[in-house]
Amino acid sequence: MSYATKLELPWVEKYRPHLLKDIVGNEDTVQRLQTIAADGNMPHMIISGLPGIGKTTSIHCLAHELLGDAYSQAVLELNASDDRGIEVVRNQIKHFAQKKCTLPAGKHKIIILDEADSMTSGAQQALRRTMELYSNTTRFAFACNQSNKIIEPLQSRCAILRYSKLTDEQVLKRLLEIIKLEDVQYTNDGLEAIIFTAEGDMRQAINNLQSTVAGFGLVNGENVFQIVDSPHPLIVKRMLLSGSLDESLQYLKELWVKGYSAVDIVITCFRVMKNLDEVKETVRLEMIKEIGFTHMRILEGVGTHLQLSGMLAKIQKLKS
Amino acid sequence: MGDITDKLRAAKNKRAGHGTNHASPKKPKKVKSQAAETIDLDLDDDELELLASQPRRSRSNTTAADEKEQSPAKKPRISEPSSNGLTKPDVSRVKKSDSPQTVKELLDSIPSVDLDNVTTKEATQFSWKGAGGDGSGASSELEIPEGQANCLLGLTIVFTGTLPNLDRSTSENLAKRYGARVTKSISKNTSVVVLGEEAGPKKLENIKKLGIKAIDEEGFKRLIAGMPAGGGDNQQADKARRKLQEQQEQAMKEAEQMAKEQEEREKKDKLSVGKDVNLSSKSTVTEDSKLWTTKYAPTDLRQLCGNKGAIQKLKTWLESWSSGKKPSMRAVMLSGPPGIGKTTAAHLVAKSLGYDVLEKNASDVRSKGLLNASVKFALDHKSVIGMFKSISDDHYSKNGKRFVIIMDEVDGMSGGDRGGVGQLAQYCRKTNTPMILICNERNLPKMRPFDHSVLDIPFRRPDAQAVKARLMTIAMREKFKLDPNVIDRLVSVTRGDMRQIINLLSTVTTTSKSIGSDNIKSLSDNWEKNVALKIFDITPKLLSGGIYTENGAKQFPLYKKMELYFDDFDFTPLMIQENYTSTTPTLLRKGQTHLNAVAAAAESISEGDLVDKKIRSAEQQWSLLPLHAVLSTVRPASMVAGNVTRRINFSAFLGQNSKTGKFYRLLQDIQYHTRLSTSTNKMGLRLQYMPTMKRHLLDPLLRDGSAAIENVINFMDDYYLSKDHWDSIMQFYVGTDDTTAALKSIPSSTKSAFTRAYNNVSHPTPIMKLGVSTGRATAAARPDFEDVVDNDDEVPVEEENPKDEDEIDFKKDKFIKQVGKKKTKSKTKKVSSKK
């Protein structure tokens, strides 16, 4: 492969799994899908979970394994970029469901509705009876981030598969495979940084890896955080938890000198504080209030070092 | 705005529906238990009669189901006399007469609560402080005791009051898990009462009267920890155990029977299909490649789980059509949550009576026009299919040419279905064909047109007993192991959604061939339905103290609380603001009073408002939304959280806000008019002029009656005020100045004299005219705009036109209405003449 084509293809696409067995994480669910792929008779299903954990990929793999060559004619895929209003559901989807398609026994046409949580409830309502009436020939697969945005009647008709966040080890394993194939120079703290910032999102991890490689060639902690361009949550956490004001101001200085904007710092503070279990919740709410007010002032235009210092001082005061 | 009013209406509706929903499922049970014998016997007779004409298999089927229905099971029924041969152990009596050793010993070892020292609800004033202390102190040792399996079997437990650590549902679930019966009211059957703070005084009295053992939470924990597996070797536990086993065996037997029947039927079907070559070539779909929900879809009315009464009602209604006379309601509305068999019931009932079905659902366009084009013609027509059907069946010969219209998912009529609901409601009144409408939410405002034109048949979620046999059949046919004990759990996880349970089973069994107590936990976590909560569920959840204690925060962390806000971030803050004073805080810090807490919460809410302004004003800083979640909702809620003592009210802000807007508009109008003789702004007018105006506008009328009218009118003319302004000014006064009483005390003769006097005289008007123009003014203006085109007089022209249009519209409306009336009348006449 020439250097140019190597650059053209995002690694996320290049290393997207094509078989169910290659999918990382959620072993139980994936195994269930494999059984379905082998036996046929796929139920209607909803796969829900956070972004970047392989929902769409699993559905595609499943459809490919089930239908093989017939994929092109027996699969209708619609995602949020397509028009999926009630009109489309009543026309395009219904017509596809009525379409005759010669498939081996136990195989069905599949309608994939990606990002189904962005469909209007009217459109979802219109799917209900279609799903039932044509279930002998057509099966539906939904992928969504929040399953509560899918109306209850649809949930009732589907097998709900919840994908959980990938663990750091799972992300690491896949990253190492890619690194080996792409022959990437890396350090351990670089990989750690990538995994930390991805928070279980495989797509983000791979994208960050590729960006770092494209930008610097070497994957180490510093380079990764330059690519990711948000203050390191660990530093922010230390800054918020440190015992004395001087210490936390030192951390702030460190971040400030690196050139992070006040908005980025304060937003990261908010996010870190929200899940900071070390602090009691009542105190945390007070701290969040202070951070929030600083955020407001910064948005008003006073994104200064002084504001952030003031915020830290107030947080320090709340600790005592 | 329209959006908000819609929501408001929906919320109100929901609240209205709330009470009835809660009360209704309980009622029938109670009634049944009281009149158990008669009713049950009646039912049996009826059904037996019904069954007499049916093949044998079904008979054994239903009687079995009946028997199961009648066995006391876990339902809180007071013992009822056995009515059909099945002898049931009378648990209650056994319990009372010869108390067992182990339970008694254990109970004796647990200190009972001193009943006179228990705080009751009246005593809250002095006790809540103590309760607050308890909440914070005891929360550290929240450990749910582990007991032996079924160790509470045979015990009947009543929970009352607030337990310090366990909340009500947890403790009840705990007791149920170990096999105890949990009831709400204390009777002589009750074996143990678990008392908490603030128990009802009535209950305490009952406990004393009946001499029932009362224990506290500690005691309850010890009870669980101390009891041997299976409820010990005493008599009552033994009986209960036996009963449980009996039940299971029965369910298994039924399942086997059902499975056998189904197989037979299928064999028969296959045979008949085999004969008919045409059909067999068509049906290429094999059983194996069908969804389980299709494969095991009920093919017979008796296979439907639960809602027997509703189905019977539907059947009776449809039967009344075939007798030639139309029933009083020409359409029925089946309503209920998804997955409990509404559509199936409608289809099966139609099929069983030999009706042909015309179905329209949400996947069809159902706008007013299209309904007119497709459904309207069907209303008076007959089915063609019926003519080609074999007439061997008795029903077919009678109803073969008839059909029933099923309108599915009526509440799913939305964008593109404009006017559909209204049109459908109209059809319901005049149709000559039975119509069955199906919806999920009957209480939605958009379903209101159906209110008086349909017969409502609500469907309820079936309970575990009702679905057990069916699920066991499926398990048997699909050859996987299903522990009958976990069915309860499945039902509660899916909230009684039969279809969901079948889907769950079909998916799970692809990998594991047995479902028992070992893997049910992970299953139920995964399959719990995830529906966005409504504001009336969110608010009490946020205001309950349990989630803010240290342990509660671990189980329900901050981000989850914020998620509650995001479920409806327009209304949740308003709801918190409305209801934050209706709690008794349990988490007060030392030295803090309730008032302090409320003040702090109010402070936080107002800070939240500052943030809200940044978000929704021109700045549109939506990145502050999480902050708003904390400041407006989570933080104030955390300060006052505790026991919600009053009903959760809907936010009054919307109403008050629009009232404020209305007064501002009125004030603006008055200010425009008085501008020529006053020199102030709106605020000044309200604050300085209006109090004085009252003295000149109202007081003379009160004092001197009709004699003062002239003075008042002169005063009004000085300020260019009209009679309408006089009325609206009177609404402005508040507090001691409030005029409602004074206005009533003016004699009506004075009032009418005032109006007449005002109308008789012409009044000076400022250039800007916002009110209604008098006839003379327009008459005077009319000649003007023939000569002069662009002049000030354009104002009256503009005013006149809409008025004219209004009149025309009104006439038109009247016209249409009259015509419509005539039409319907003639129609009904036609109908009656036809008959």
Side-chain angles (χ1 to χ4, degrees):
Chain A
M1 194 184 285
S2 75
Y3 187 68
T5 48
K6 192 171 135 195
L7 273 185
E8 271 164 25
L9 201 62
W11 288 358
V12 194
E13 292 307 323
K14 196 171 165 189
Y15 295 103
R16 187 186 283 276
H18 294 292
L19 292 171
L20 279 170
K21 66 175 171 52
D22 294 335
I23 291 173
V24 177
N26 295 296
E27 283 85 3
D28 285 355
T29 319
V30 172
Q31 197 195 344
R32 204 159 282 154
L33 293 181
Q34 275 174 310
T35 329
I36 291 172
D39 299 350
N41 196 16
M42 176 190 123
H44 297 305
M45 57 188 187
I46 296 175
I47 298 187
S48 76
L50 294 164
I53 51 176
K55 302 182 297 290
T56 314
T57 309
S58 339
I59 293 183
H60 279 170
C61 291
L62 179 63
H64 272 292
E65 283 180 33
L66 269 174
L67 297 168
D69 295 335
Y71 184 90
S72 55
Q73 49 164 327
V75 173
L76 175 69
E77 193 195 340
L78 295 170
N79 56 40
S81 70
D82 302 299
D83 182 16
R84 289 183 304 185
I86 194 160
E87 294 304 316
V88 173
V89 173
R90 279 174 178 164
N91 298 318
Q92 207 180 334
I93 291 182
K94 206 171 166 188
H95 288 162
F96 181 81
Q98 289 165 336
K99 193 174 93 172
K100 171 98 178 146
C101 199
T102 316
L103 292 168
K107 305 290 162 75
H108 306 275
K109 284 175 290 175
I110 297 175
I111 296 177
I112 300 174
L113 292 169
D114 210 346
E115 293 133 48
D117 38 2
S118 66
M119 286 174 79
T120 63
S121 82
Q124 292 185 35
Q125 291 274 6
L127 277 176
R128 291 169 60 176
R129 238 0 221 166
T130 310
M131 284 173 71
E132 268 175 5
L133 292 179
Y134 305 106
S135 73
N136 282 342
T137 58
T138 310
R139 300 290 156 85
F140 283 78
F142 302 91
C144 64
N145 291 131
Q146 293 156 294
S147 62
N148 60 9
K149 291 275 170 64
I150 310 264
I151 59 170
E152 202 185 338
L154 283 196
Q155 289 192 38
S156 152
R157 283 171 176 76
C158 292
I160 305 175
L161 308 173
R162 286 189 214 291
Y163 273 33
S164 52
K165 221 155 98 171
L166 301 181
T167 62
D168 289 353
E169 291 78 47
Q170 286 164 338
V171 179
L172 177 69
K173 194 169 152 251
R174 185 71 184 154
L175 283 182
L176 284 174
E177 282 169 26
I178 294 174
I179 282 171
K180 203 170 158 201
L181 285 167
E182 290 288 334
D183 200 16
V184 172
Q185 303 286 317
Y186 70 96
T187 62
N188 278 339
D189 68 320
L191 279 188
E192 248 170 56
I194 285 181
I195 291 166
F196 186 88
T197 49
E199 293 178 48
D201 183 341
M202 179 70 89
R203 178 166 38 213
Q204 175 128 52
I206 296 175
N207 273 334
N208 287 344
L209 177 71
Q210 188 177 16
S211 317
T212 318
V213 171
F216 301 94
L218 173 70
V219 180
N220 61 19
E222 203 175 314
N223 291 345
V224 169
F225 279 110
Q226 262 174 2
I227 287 290
V228 175
D229 195 32
S230 77
H232 197 311
L234 258 182
I235 299 179
V236 173
K237 190 175 169 183
R238 267 182 231 139
M239 176 174 87
L240 292 172
L241 280 179
S242 62
S244 73
L245 180 59
D246 288 338
E247 204 183 329
S248 56
L249 282 178
Q250 200 56 47
Y251 282 119
L252 175 64
K253 185 117 198 173
E254 201 179 300
L255 290 174
W256 191 259
V257 167
K258 274 187 185 162
Y260 292 115
S261 76
V263 180
D264 280 342
I265 294 176
V266 86
I267 286 179
T268 318
C269 281
F270 194 98
R271 264 217 305 266
V272 169
M273 183 56 86
K274 199 170 79 180
N275 297 320
L276 205 61
D277 292 327
E278 286 88 341
V279 184
K280 251 173 71 179
E281 195 174 280
T282 39
V283 184
R284 224 184 318 156
L285 284 172
E286 301 300 318
M287 291 183 176
I288 283 180
K289 179 188 139 194
E290 294 305 337
I291 296 173
F293 276 134
T294 314
H295 186 185
M296 224 158 89
R297 287 190 202 110
I298 289 171
L299 286 177
E300 278 165 0
V302 270
T304 57
H305 188 258
L306 184 64
Q307 285 293 336
L308 292 172
S309 310
M311 175 186 87
L312 288 180
K314 275 179 183 157
I315 288 174
Q316 202 61 244
K317 203 174 156 193
L318 281 171
K319 274 183 213 163
S320 52
Chain B
M1 194 60 212
D3 209 25
I4 284 183
T5 44
D6 263 2
K7 267 188 183 172
L8 178 118
R9 220 178 293 142
K12 267 195 183 156
N13 257 318
K14 194 180 168 207
R15 199 160 31 135
H18 236 63
T20 50
N21 276 349
H22 271 302
S24 45
K26 270 181 206 162
K27 254 190 183 158
K29 263 184 209 161
K30 254 188 197 159
V31 173
K32 217 174 178 183
S33 68
Q34 275 161 10
E37 195 163 20
T38 51
I39 286 179
D40 278 356
L41 281 175
D42 273 3
L43 246 175
D44 274 355
D45 284 350
D46 276 350
E47 279 188 359
L48 284 175
E49 260 171 40
L50 231 161
L51 291 166
S53 58
Q54 311 278 355
R56 260 188 69 94
R57 53 172 169 87
S58 50
R59 178 178 186 157
S60 55
N61 208 345
T62 23
T63 40
D66 278 350
E67 276 165 14
K68 201 167 49 106
E69 271 248 287
Q70 279 173 17
S71 67
K74 279 173 193 159
K75 284 181 207 164
R77 263 195 225 166
I78 305 164
S79 69
E80 59 192 66
S82 54
S83 51
N84 50 3
L86 184 81
T87 46
K88 283 164 291 175
D90 193 345
V91 183
S92 56
R93 215 154 299 153
V94 174
K95 207 175 293 166
K96 253 221 131 182
S97 53
D98 46 45
S99 287
Q101 303 84 26
T102 47
V103 182
K104 203 177 178 199
E105 276 164 20
L106 192 70
L107 278 180
D108 283 345
S109 73
I110 295 166
S112 44
V113 180
D114 188 359
L115 290 178
D116 301 318
N117 265 342
V118 173
T119 53
T120 58
K121 258 181 197 150
E122 275 95 344
T124 41
Q125 259 118 342
F126 60 82
S127 78
W128 61 259
K129 225 179 211 169
D134 264 8
S136 53
S139 58
S140 52
E141 30 152 353
L142 180 104
E143 72 218 14
I144 293 163
E146 286 282 328
Q148 306 275 352
N150 279 340
C151 63
L152 298 182
L153 206 67
L155 290 179
T156 309
I157 299 181
V158 174
F159 290 91
T160 178
T162 331
L163 300 181
N165 297 330
L166 301 167
D167 67 42
R168 181 62 75 87
S169 61
T170 330
S171 49
E172 282 183 359
N173 281 338
L174 203 63
K176 274 185 198 156
R177 196 168 76 208
Y178 290 117
R181 246 179 68 177
V182 177
T183 55
K184 296 270 179 232
S185 63
I186 293 162
S187 68
K188 64 179 183 337
N189 299 341
T190 313
S191 13
V192 175
V193 178
V194 181
L195 264 182
E197 302 271 351
E198 292 174 30
K202 192 81 197 290
K203 277 192 179 155
L204 283 183
E205 218 171 87
N206 262 336
I207 297 170
K208 272 183 223 166
K209 209 166 66 196
L210 295 166
I212 295 164
K213 176 95 182 170
I215 56 175
D216 58 2
E217 188 189 290
E218 253 333 283
F220 177 57
K221 281 184 190 162
R222 275 176 60 190
L223 186 68
I224 290 178
M227 289 288 276
D233 45 3
N234 57 71
Q235 214 168 340
Q236 83 211 45
D238 225 28
K239 288 231 163 124
R241 240 193 330 257
R242 221 180 304 143
K243 204 175 66 202
L244 206 72
Q245 214 167 6
E246 231 166 72
Q247 245 176 42
Q248 277 169 19
E249 271 168 20
Q250 197 143 30
M252 289 300 288
K253 236 188 277 167
E254 268 168 48
E256 265 172 59
Q257 210 154 15
M258 272 165 110
K260 226 183 275 167
E261 280 157 20
Q262 205 154 1
E263 259 167 53
E264 267 168 39
R265 195 170 30 234
E266 264 156 32
K267 240 180 244 165
K268 235 195 288 177
D269 282 355
K270 248 178 221 164
L271 276 176
S272 62
V273 166
K275 277 177 210 156
D276 201 337
V277 188
N278 279 338
L279 273 174
S280 66
S281 64
K282 250 187 227 166
S283 60
T284 46
V285 187
T286 55
E287 281 290 303
D288 284 336
S289 66
K290 274 188 190 167
L291 279 183
W292 281 19
T293 42
T294 327
K295 201 163 151 191
Y296 296 107
T299 49
D300 190 294
L301 275 179
R302 276 179 301 274
Q303 288 176 352
L304 283 169
C305 300
N307 289 308
K308 297 270 186 256
I311 292 166
Q312 192 54 44
K313 208 166 155 192
L314 179 65
K315 204 171 171 187
T316 326
W317 172 81
L318 196 56
E319 268 166 352
S320 68
W321 277 87
S322 44
S323 60
K325 208 174 65 191
K326 289 182 188 71
S328 57
M329 287 294 188
R330 300 184 175 198
V332 286
M333 169 81 77
L334 311 183
S335 57
I340 55 171
K342 298 181 300 296
T343 311
T344 316
H347 278 267
L348 286 181
V349 166
K351 201 180 132 205
S352 74
L353 294 178
Y355 277 87
D356 202 8
V357 169
L358 174 72
E359 188 192 321
K360 290 268 168 192
N361 53 51
S363 68
D364 305 299
V365 185
R366 295 181 291 185
S367 65
K368 187 173 175 181
L370 278 159
L371 277 180
N372 269 333
S374 59
V375 180
K376 196 180 171 193
F377 296 109
L379 294 181
D380 304 317
H381 284 205
K382 291 198 162 58
S383 163
V384 179
I385 296 178
M387 300 193 183
F388 298 106
K389 268 187 186 151
S390 61
I391 42 166
S392 58
D393 198 307
D394 192 34
H395 279 309
Y396 279 128
S397 56
K398 217 169 26 182
N399 296 329
K401 290 171 198 161
R402 316 202 58 161
F403 65 102
V404 45
I405 299 176
I406 296 182
M407 280 301 211
D408 211 345
E409 298 143 14
V410 180
D411 47 354
M413 286 178 148
S414 56
D417 297 337
R418 212 153 291 280
V421 172
Q423 192 65 37
L424 202 56
Q426 244 177 49
Y427 291 157
C428 290
R429 287 190 205 102
K430 60 180 187 189
T431 176
N432 284 322
T433 303
M435 280 176 78
I436 302 177
L437 312 175
I438 301 173
C439 71
N440 289 127
E441 294 275 346
R442 182 64 182 89
N443 292 328
L444 287 180
K446 68 173 164 187
M447 305 299 284
R448 208 165 289 153
F450 295 109
D451 271 358
H452 296 292
S453 44
V454 296
L455 176 69
D456 271 308
I457 303 183
F459 271 57
R460 301 221 170 76
R461 305 175 191 277
D463 59 0
Q465 287 301 320
V467 301
K468 202 170 253 176
R470 188 81 193 140
L471 291 181
M472 293 313 288
T473 316
I474 293 173
M476 192 91 59
R477 298 273 329 257
E478 291 292 334
K479 298 184 184 62
F480 65 89
K481 253 184 71 194
L482 178 65
D483 185 352
N485 290 325
V486 304
I487 289 177
D488 288 330
R489 192 67 186 269
L490 288 176
V491 170
S492 75
V493 162
T494 55
R495 300 201 285 159
D497 186 338
M498 186 72 187
R499 176 169 45 208
Q500 178 88 74
I501 297 175
I502 297 178
N503 273 328
L504 180 152
L505 292 179
S506 96
T507 315
V508 171
T509 47
T510 51
T511 45
S512 67
K513 281 293 172 204
S514 86
I515 296 168
S517 47
D518 46 334
N519 55 0
I520 186 70
K521 177 83 181 68
S522 65
L523 273 182
S524 53
D525 285 350
N526 259 329
W527 284 78
E528 194 130 24
K529 257 197 237 174
N530 215 339
V531 224
L533 288 170
K534 302 281 176 347
I535 38 174
F536 279 101
D537 307 322
I538 295 173
T539 318
K541 202 163 184 181
L542 276 169
L543 287 176
S544 68
I547 58 171
Y548 297 101
T549 59
E550 228 163 277
N551 276 301
K554 246 174 238 158
Q555 277 159 19
F556 201 80
L558 186 58
Y559 74 89
K560 277 207 172 160
K561 289 168 197 157
M562 286 170 72
E563 267 170 23
L564 285 180
Y565 163 87
F566 283 107
D567 269 347
D568 193 337
F569 60 79
D570 288 319
F571 271 99
T572 315
L574 293 177
M575 291 294 287
I576 293 288
Q577 188 264 331
E578 184 68 33
N579 293 296
Y580 76 103
T581 49
S582 44
T583 59
T584 318
T586 50
L587 302 164
L588 293 176
R589 283 192 299 277
K590 248 182 212 134
Q592 202 186 16
T593 63
H594 187 176
L595 197 61
N596 287 149
V598 169
E603 174 80 21
S604 184
I605 290 173
S606 63
E607 282 165 350
D609 242 18
L610 292 178
V611 179
D612 193 44
K613 206 172 175 189
K614 284 257 175 301
I615 295 174
R616 287 170 208 265
S617 69
E619 289 175 60
Q620 297 280 311
Q621 302 285 8
W622 287 91
S623 62
L624 289 173
L625 207 57
L627 176 64
H628 187 234
V630 171
L631 284 184
S632 72
T633 305
V634 182
R635 193 156 161 262
S638 79
M639 287 161 175
V640 294
N643 304 321
V644 181
T645 49
R646 261 182 285 158
R647 209 166 60 111
I648 297 291
N649 284 322
F650 186 71
S651 173
F653 167 78
L654 296 170
Q656 304 290 7
N657 191 34
S658 75
K659 224 190 234 169
T660 314
K662 183 187 128 201
F663 277 114
Y664 266 112
R665 272 196 311 279
L666 289 176
L667 192 61
Q668 179 86 62
D669 188 28
I670 294 168
Q671 198 237 339
Y672 280 156
H673 279 256
T674 57
R675 211 174 207 156
L676 290 179
S677 43
T678 60
S679 54
T680 182
N681 58 5
K682 273 190 289 186
M683 278 301 146
L685 184 74
R686 171 70 188 87
L687 294 174
Q688 268 117 44
Y689 281 75
M690 280 210 183
T692 327
M693 278 181 176
K694 189 187 172 197
R695 250 177 274 150
H696 292 276
L697 290 175
L698 183 65
D699 292 353
L701 286 178
L702 287 173
R703 203 173 44 232
D704 308 331
S706 350
I709 289 176
E710 204 190 329
N711 278 336
V712 171
I713 291 182
N714 282 338
F715 182 83
M716 282 162 70
D717 284 348
D718 285 348
Y719 284 97
Y720 301 96
L721 294 170
S722 70
K723 180 69 180 31
D724 287 339
H725 292 135
W726 189 89
D727 289 333
S728 45
I729 285 172
M730 289 307 138
Q731 294 174 31
F732 273 92
Y733 300 105
V734 289
T736 49
D737 275 345
D738 190 47
T739 55
T740 24
L743 283 178
K744 265 181 201 149
S745 69
I746 302 176
S748 53
S749 60
T750 317
K751 267 187 209 165
S752 52
F754 179 38
T755 317
R756 239 178 295 127
Y758 184 85
N759 287 341
N760 278 339
V761 196
S762 67
H763 304 281
T765 40
I767 301 157
M768 178 106 171
K769 274 168 64 179
L770 287 169
V772 273
S773 51
T774 58
R776 257 186 38 197
T778 47
R782 208 160 265 156
D784 274 39
F785 53 70
E786 278 174 4
D787 314 330
V788 194
V789 183
D790 43 351
N791 206 332
D792 289 351
D793 285 325
E794 265 181 359
V795 179
V797 178
E798 271 175 9
E799 248 170 51
E800 222 180 356
N801 283 344
K803 210 192 156 195
D804 278 358
E805 268 171 23
D806 271 359
E807 263 174 22
I808 291 166
D809 266 356
F810 181 63
K811 263 185 198 162
K812 250 189 199 164
D813 270 0
K814 250 188 177 172
F815 191 59
I816 290 169
K817 255 185 204 161
Q818 279 168 350
V819 171
K821 261 182 203 161
K822 267 181 200 161
K823 259 188 188 168
T824 48
K825 255 185 201 165
S826 62
K827 264 258 166 93
T828 45
K829 258 182 211 162
K830 246 189 238 164
V831 170
S832 53
S833 64
K834 249 190 212 168
K835 272 195 248 165

